Structure formats: C-alpha cells, structure tokens
Amino acid sequence: MNQRTHSSPRRAAAPSQAHAVPAAPPLWQQLDAVAQCLQAVLEGQSSRSVLARVPQPLRPGVQALLFQVLRQLGRAQALQKQLASRNPPPRVSALLNTALALAWDESRAPYPPFTLVNQAVEAAKQGPTRAQSGFVNACLRRFLRERDALVAATEAQPQAVWNHPAWWIARLRKDHPDHWQAILQANNEQPPMTLRVNRQRADRAQYQAALQAMDVPSLAVADSGLQLQQALPVQSLPGFDQGLASVQDAAAQLAAPLLLQGLEQPAGRALRVLDACAAPGGKTAHLLEYAAPQTLQVTALEIDAERAARIEDTLGRLQLQAQVVVADGSQPAQWFEAQCGGQLFDAILLDAPCTASGIVRRQPDVRWLRRESDVHQLAQIQSRLLDTLWPLLQPGGRLLYCTCSVFRQEGEAQVQAFVARNSEARTLPAPGHLIPGKDYKAGMLADNALGDHDGFFYALLQKTR
C-alpha cells in the first residue's frame, strides 16, 4: 500500500504554473475511519454500505485497510483479550482491533508496527475516544513490547489461527475433512480479478493482447475468461464502457455453459430461459453472450426492485436484451401467467440466496456477519425455490442449481433431498462443490482450467417427464 502520512516537500511554483496536489490523508485519520467501519460491521452492517459513507478521498485506503482487518480480526480479538482485562467501549475496541489486526504479523503489515501503534494512539486522541486514549496507548505499547509472547498465547484458539468464527470452522471441518484448512487459508488471501470477454462483441485472444499492450498480463480461464495478474479499475479496461468485458469470477462463469451446452434448440422458436434471483445480471448477460441472442428468450427474475435495476444497467452496458421481472420466485402465481404467459421454460438457472461462504475472500465481512442459524434458514429458502420453480420447467428441460457456498447443506445435501422427493429429476454431470483458490477437482469438466476461483456449488437437473 505504502501510502504516505504526509506529502513530500515540493519546490514552490508561480500560481500560473502550479497545480495543487492534494496531500495524502494522514494515517491516523484512515485508521479512525477503518475503526468506525469495523464497529458498524460488528453491529451488523455490510462493509459495502459503511464504505459508501466514507468520504471519497479516504475511501480507497480505508477499504484496503478494512479488508485486511476483517481478514485478521479473529487474531486481533484474541490479542485484545490478552491485553485488556475488561471489555472497552465498542469504538475503543474497534480501534484496538484495527491496530492489532494490521500490526500483529509484521510480514503482512501495511506499515511498520510502531507506526501503526503511534497513529492509532493519535486517532484515539483526536476523536470521541479521547478520554480512553491513555488506555489505548497502554494496550498497544504493551503489545509492541510483548508481541511474540502475546501471539504465542493465542495460538491454541482456532478463531485466532484461522480468523473465522468457531462455528464456521467446525462446519467446514465436518463438510470438507480433507480440505477445510485450504478453504480457510484461501479465504484470508486477496482474490484475483477475473474478466469475462463478451464473445458476441470481442475475441478473447485479441482482448488478451490489448491487455498485454497495457502491460497487464492475463491467463485464459474457463470458456471466455481472463484472469489478470494485477487488478485494474474497471474504467481502465479496454472497451469496458462499450460492453467488451465484464468482471466475473471464473467459477461463476461456469453457469451459462453448464446450462446451455448440448441443450436442443426447439423447432421454430427461441429457447425460453429463466434466470431466477438474477441480480446484478452477470449470469443473465453471460447466457446471452454464450448463445446467439436471437436463439434465447431470457427472463431475469429478481425480488428486489433496486437490485433489478442493476440488471437493466448491466444489460444496457453490454447491449443485450432480456425481460426483467420484479417478483418473488417462490410465488409464481404472482408473475408466471401475467409476465411469461404461462409458457414453460426450456431451462432454468437458479442461483439461490445463500450464506456466500464461498466468496468471503472477496467479501471478508461475510464471515463476521453470518450466524450459524442463517445456514438452516437459507437452506429452507433454497428448498422452497427449487420446489416452486421446478413445475415451470418443460419435460426434458434442465434446471441448474448453484450457490456461492461451500457448505454442504446449501449444496450437495440440498440437491440430494430434492432428487429424493422428485422422481422425475435426473442429475447430469456437474462440478458439485468447488473450493476457493486452486481447483482441487481440476479435470472434472472438459473445459475446467479455472485457475484461481471462488468457492461454488453446481448441480444440473433434467426433468424426465
């Protein structure tokens, strides 16, 4: 990161020649903002919503620091308990956790630990934590003196070692006894930026060459993807505003090929495809990019009107068309006849609401926002959606069920239960559970060079009658 806490001196220039260069925000101010965001997350708000309230000059640095804090929060909380015999007020606790998460591992610290401690104490002096600044100073100075011993004292605590809630770790150990450690390790790393090239408007090899000309190497992954060696702002991507590419993880790019590959085109009409729970529209767009748009009639269904508007934005940028319906997928009586004329679908993509346990490396707040009871509650929603959407599928048609989850209750167990209660459902080859990071099931699919991807689950079901 290497952000400066003060601007470097510059030679004075005449007013007509000088252009004001904004000084980098002081580090204490960034740490104070991170602590405010962390407190809000721990009180149940998403990092996306709290970061949106951070002033723009501070936001990039604050986001980077906040994500690092969230990936090291378990260790920080354990260290704070070693340092403080009583629970400090939430704002003070958030500031201590911020400094400890960033400083405990010097090899990953964005600044030298003593700098982080000095600036965290300064942040305590400047804000509503002023009365507690002596307490913050005492805790953090002790941390600098006794860091190795304090860290060693937390090594026996799974939440400190793996930086996930204890229930999450226990569930992964049960669900993935051979890979739970790899999943947790991947969750604490920064993910790569992966693009999906719009095959209706661009050639992947040519787009890759355009990136290379910008000194941005990439790796071809999935059917139309490019994994970048370094992340870029989307506005820096060649032809982004013109719809030549989208940002989409390699695992998510499997959906369109799995659903459409080998699906027979009906005589005299387009395939009728439903994308249920479609926002923000990435998979809707990929369906239309994967097949010739004139061969598909896609309905994108989304319960939330604000999120449905994002589908329209996505399609507009990519110059694609689909019918966007704002309705509840589990209540087809409200929309199937009125919006779709009661015509059965040839294919259904159900990207069901889930815990997002497969994408915590991209959304590191998820692990701290979720509760163990959420898994069961979301599994009930998934089951209800499967049961209500299945009757809308043509005999011989396909339903692709997917979640960005690594929990088996939301994946393998969910599908096994559905097939057990539906004799006309037949499973077709699909990846099943994909763990985040490098795919340990590489080679399962004919085109499965996914590179580094998120955690996901896929099951493909065919209706036999």
Side-chain angles (χ1 to χ4, degrees):
M1 189 172 302
N2 295 325
Q3 291 168 318
R4 295 173 298 169
T5 56
H6 305 282
S7 58
S8 57
R10 294 181 296 117
R11 181 179 299 177
S16 60
Q17 297 173 333
H19 297 278
V21 177
L27 180 55
W28 71 261
Q29 192 174 3
Q30 295 183 65
L31 295 177
D32 183 59
V34 172
Q36 291 182 58
C37 291
L38 177 61
Q39 181 183 350
V41 168
L42 294 176
E43 291 171 353
Q45 300 180 49
S46 72
S47 61
R48 179 177 296 176
S49 64
V50 299
L51 284 166
R53 301 195 292 269
V54 174
Q56 184 58 48
L58 281 173
R59 194 177 303 163
V62 168
Q63 176 172 319
L65 292 172
L66 176 64
F67 278 19
Q68 184 167 348
V69 168
L70 291 167
R71 292 185 179 112
Q72 300 295 323
L73 183 59
R75 179 74 70 172
Q77 289 174 330
L79 288 169
Q80 186 182 137
K81 288 180 180 178
Q82 295 285 322
L83 292 165
S85 59
R86 56 187 171 85
N87 291 328
R91 181 70 172 273
V92 175
S93 177
L95 183 57
L96 282 172
N97 279 326
T98 293
L100 292 168
L102 295 172
W104 82 269
D105 183 354
E106 191 166 9
S107 67
R108 295 191 177 201
Y111 303 92
F114 71 87
T115 299
L116 288 163
V117 167
N118 288 342
Q119 292 296 297
V121 172
E122 184 65 23
K125 293 177 180 178
Q126 297 289 337
T129 54
R130 186 180 301 108
Q132 297 285 326
S133 60
F135 172 73
V136 171
N137 182 63
C139 287
L140 294 180
R141 299 298 172 190
R142 180 187 166 200
F143 163 74
L144 287 180
R145 292 192 306 270
E146 305 175 22
R147 180 173 55 184
D148 291 347
L150 290 166
V151 170
T154 65
E155 282 296 322
Q157 302 175 40
Q159 183 164 320
V161 173
W162 298 109
N163 291 292
H164 286 69
W167 70 264
W168 191 300
I169 299 169
R171 182 174 283 270
L172 282 181
R173 292 188 71 164
K174 180 181 177 182
D175 284 358
H176 302 278
D178 295 329
H179 304 286
W180 65 275
Q181 292 174 311
I183 294 171
L184 292 169
Q185 287 170 348
N187 287 350
N188 290 326
E189 301 296 330
Q190 290 189 4
M193 182 177 186
T194 304
L195 309 180
R196 185 190 74 243
V197 178
N198 183 352
R199 58 195 285 172
Q200 297 297 326
R201 307 195 56 232
D203 175 79
R204 178 167 66 175
Q206 292 177 356
Y207 197 90
Q208 187 174 28
L211 288 171
Q212 186 63 52
M214 297 170 56
D215 235 4
V216 181
S218 61
L219 171 70
V221 296
D223 183 83
S224 305
L226 290 172
Q227 181 181 303
L228 306 189
Q229 245 182 46
Q230 64 191 70
L232 292 176
V234 292
Q235 298 305 326
S236 299
L237 295 170
F240 182 82
D241 288 339
Q242 291 72 43
L244 300 190
S246 301
V247 178
Q248 187 180 47
D249 183 74
Q253 291 187 41
L254 288 178
L258 279 168
L259 184 61
L260 297 179
Q261 203 168 56
L263 193 60
E264 188 175 344
Q265 185 78 31
R269 67 171 177 86
L271 281 164
R272 290 191 287 267
V273 180
L274 173 67
D275 182 4
C277 313
K283 294 184 181 67
T284 301
H286 193 194
L287 289 167
L288 293 163
E289 293 172 10
Y290 184 81
Q294 63 271 19
T295 66
L296 296 183
Q297 179 185 324
V298 177
T299 299
L301 187 68
E302 173 56 45
I303 190 172
D304 184 274
E306 186 174 335
R307 284 173 54 80
R310 294 179 63 191
I311 304 174
E312 299 277 15
D313 293 342
T314 297
L315 295 174
R317 182 180 65 82
L318 297 169
Q319 301 179 33
L320 299 168
Q321 290 187 333
Q323 179 188 23
V324 179
V325 175
V326 180
D328 184 349
S330 67
Q331 301 290 331
Q334 299 177 2
W335 55 268
F336 182 55
E337 288 286 347
Q339 300 288 338
C340 303
Q343 295 181 315
L344 297 177
F345 296 102
D346 301 294
I348 297 176
L349 169 57
L350 173 54
D351 186 3
C354 70
T355 58
S357 60
I359 60 171
V360 292
R361 61 185 193 159
R362 295 188 188 279
Q363 299 179 18
D365 57 335
V366 167
R367 72 190 87 180
W368 308 114
L369 292 171
R370 288 293 181 207
R371 300 293 177 263
E372 188 169 14
S373 58
D374 293 343
V375 183
H376 177 68
Q377 292 172 1
L378 286 160
Q380 289 181 313
I381 294 172
Q382 295 153 9
S383 178
R384 185 165 64 251
L385 284 166
L386 279 166
D387 287 341
T388 56
L389 293 175
W390 185 252
L392 311 185
L393 188 63
Q394 289 267 18
R398 296 177 179 177
L399 184 148
L400 181 65
Y401 172 79
C402 58
T403 63
C404 55
S405 175
V406 292
F407 295 150
R408 293 198 181 278
Q409 190 172 351
E410 301 182 279
E412 183 180 49
Q414 183 71 260
V415 171
Q416 288 176 348
F418 177 78
V419 172
R421 64 179 182 267
N422 288 276
S423 58
E424 75 279 12
R426 179 171 72 98
T427 58
L428 299 176
H433 281 284
L434 297 169
I435 69 169
K438 296 292 183 182
D439 181 20
Y440 71 94
K441 293 183 180 179
M444 175 176 286
L445 299 177
D447 183 8
N448 199 25
L450 295 187
D452 191 357
H453 58 80
D454 292 341
F456 236 83
F457 174 81
Y458 282 107
L460 186 59
L461 303 169
Q462 184 174 47
K463 196 171 193 177
T464 58
R465 63 179 188 274

